[in-house]
Amino acid sequence: MKLYDGGRAPNPRRVRIFLAEKGISVPLVPVDMGAMEHRGGAVAERNPLRRLPVLELDDGTVLCESVAICRYFEELHPEPALFGRGALGKAQVEMWQRRIEFNLYLPVSYAFRHIHPAMKEWEIPQVPEWGEVNKPKALDFLVLLDAELALREFAAGDEFSIADITGLVAIDFMKPARITVPDELTNVIRWHRALAARPSASA
């Protein structure tokens, strides 16, 4: 088994944090995304979308998409449960994972990919107007999330989950996307600081 990894890129980082929380070690194959190695043969042969991360199992089976890879490891190593417990708990984690991914993680990614000069060769065509439109979308969702986090410690309840991992990575990615968490969102700031202090955050 080996994991084709893209360093500090958000999706590979989500998987590494997940594995660190589980205490799972998987051999990494570093891919230099800055040098566009993810567009080369080794990745393209395994993922025609030429995106990372890519998990290759011992029998040659390939899994792509960060949440799908995390689900695979959740089934193999159910503790600690990062996709929730029981019917309701799993549904709540799924709900908040999707909400954070669609309403925060993706808008931040779109802002970065369509505005940052370093992304001109990646995002073709780069549409700066679309990047700018996504900035307030991310901030609007953070207002909603701040109200929710006044009620609980973590995104989906009282236990850390993959929804928190997606949120941590999204907020960290706001800096290169040139978006700032407003000071008045004290619950979001508290939550992010707690997540960033976990040992897994440095994975």
Side-chain angles (χ1 to χ4, degrees), residues 122-140:
W122 293 37
E123 198 64 44
I124 301 173
Q126 196 176 47
V127 184
E129 295 83 2
W130 174 237
E132 292 295 342
V133 161
N134 275 280
K135 288 183 177 182
K137 290 177 182 292
L139 293 174
D140 286 347

Side-chain angles (χ1 to χ4, degrees), residues 19-155:
L19 293 174
E21 287 284 341
K22 291 280 189 183
I24 300 169
S25 178
V26 177
L28 299 182
V29 179
V31 178
D32 186 346
M33 297 183 75
M36 306 295 279
E37 286 183 0
H38 59 295
R39 302 287 180 89
V43 173
E45 289 171 7
R46 294 163 175 84
N47 183 3
L49 293 175
R50 297 185 170 105
R51 294 173 184 164
L52 296 170
V54 173
L55 179 67
E56 184 174 1
L57 306 183
D58 292 338
D59 66 358
T61 301
V62 169
L63 288 174
C64 304
E65 304 302 331
S66 55
V67 176
I69 292 170
C70 291
R71 282 190 179 276
Y72 173 76
F73 285 110
E74 179 86 351
E75 292 298 317
L76 293 178
H77 305 273
E79 292 295 334
L82 299 181
F83 278 88
R85 300 176 188 275
L88 179 59
K90 289 179 180 180
Q92 289 172 325
V93 169
E94 180 73 14
M95 176 176 73
W96 281 103
Q97 155 61 24
R98 290 173 68 84
R99 283 180 167 182
I100 292 172
E101 188 165 50
F102 291 162
N103 298 289
L104 179 63
Y105 184 90
L106 285 178
V108 170
S109 297
Y110 293 150
F112 174 73
R113 294 178 71 93
H114 286 275
I115 295 171
H116 202 287
M119 297 302 292
K120 283 187 177 180
E121 294 182 21
W122 293 37
E123 198 64 44
I124 301 173
Q126 196 176 47
V127 184
E129 295 83 2
W130 174 237
E132 292 295 342
V133 161
N134 275 280
K135 288 183 177 182
K137 290 177 182 292
L139 293 174
D140 286 347
F141 179 74
L142 284 179
V143 173
L144 181 154
L145 184 59
D146 190 77
E148 293 286 337
L149 288 170
L151 307 174
R152 55 185 178 271
E153 183 177 359
F154 297 109

